[in-house]
Amino acid sequence: MASITFKGNPVTLLGNEVKAGDKAPEFKVLANDLSEVTLADSKGQVRLISVVPSIDTGVCDAQTRRFNEEASKLDNVKILTVSADLPFAQKRWCAAAGIENVQTVSDHRDLSFGEAFGVAIQELRLLARAVFVVDSNDTVTYAEYVSEATDHPNYEAAVEAAKQAK
C-alpha cells in the first residue's frame, strides 16, 4: 500500500494500490448533475484521472486548473478530477473557475473510486492526492500517489504518460 501523510501525519488508505500494468478497476461516481459516471463510460479513450482531497483548497484548485489547461494540448484524452466533495460544490467551483476541459466527479456517496484505486483516507473521508493514466484498453499506464497530500503531483510526468498512452 502507498504510504501517505496529510499535513505531516500518516493516514490509512482503504482499498488496494493500483500500479502501472494493472487493469483499471471499475468505479461509480457522480457527475455534477448527479448522473452516475463509471470507467466504462469512457471506454476506448485515454483517461487522465486527477484525484484531489478537496476542490476548494489551494493545491487542489491549482491541480485542477493545470490539467484543465493541459487538456487543450492532449488529443483523445478525457480528464476527470475526482474528489469526495459534493457534486454541488464541484459545479459551483467549476463555474467560478471557468473550468471547461475537465470533468469533475464526486466520490462522496460511497467512496467507490477511492476504495477501488486505494486513495480513500479512512481518518478523513477524503481522497489522497494521486494521478492515474488509463489507456483505451483500461490498463493503468501511470500511477502516482503523492506521498504528502498537500504537495503537488508531477504534472509533467502525468501529461507525458497521457500523451504516450494509446
Side-chain angles (χ1 to χ4, degrees):
M1 227 20 234
S3 205
I4 302 289
T5 58
F6 190 89
K7 296 184 179 180
N9 300 308
V11 294
T12 307
L13 296 181
L14 303 175
N16 297 312
E17 184 175 356
V18 174
K19 297 182 174 137
D22 290 350
K23 199 71 165 163
E26 189 54 75
F27 58 84
K28 193 179 294 180
V29 292
L30 295 177
N32 294 169
D33 65 1
L34 302 180
S35 63
E36 290 185 345
V37 176
T38 66
L39 181 70
D41 291 339
S42 55
K43 188 159 185 64
Q45 285 184 286
V46 172
R47 278 82 26 119
L48 187 154
I49 304 172
S50 171
V51 187
V52 299
S54 177
I55 201 87
D56 279 318
T57 61
V59 177
C60 300
D61 176 296
Q63 180 174 333
T64 305
R65 288 176 190 269
R66 173 71 182 268
F67 285 127
N68 185 66
E69 183 181 306
E70 295 289 348
S72 63
K73 305 172 200 166
L74 297 170
D75 292 329
N76 196 34
V77 176
K78 179 172 186 68
I79 300 180
L80 295 172
T81 292
V82 184
S83 75
D85 293 305
L86 291 173
F88 314 110
Q90 291 177 337
K91 184 176 182 176
R92 175 197 44 77
W93 182 88
C94 287
I99 301 298
E100 298 176 351
N101 301 321
V102 169
Q103 180 182 11
T104 56
V105 292
S106 173
D107 201 23
H108 177 75
R109 185 171 61 186
D110 59 11
L111 296 179
S112 168
F113 179 91
E115 291 181 8
F117 279 76
V119 294
I121 300 174
Q122 180 177 356
E123 295 85 349
L124 302 171
R125 194 174 165 75
L126 296 174
L127 303 182
R129 188 173 318 282
V131 180
F132 303 96
V133 174
V134 178
D135 71 13
S136 60
N137 295 312
D138 295 341
T139 300
V140 176
T141 62
Y142 177 84
E144 177 189 9
Y145 292 80
V146 180
S147 60
E148 167 52 53
T150 60
D151 289 346
H152 288 270
N154 185 335
Y155 298 109
E156 293 78 16
V159 169
E160 188 55 34
K163 287 178 181 175
Q164 298 300 318
K166 304 242 186 292

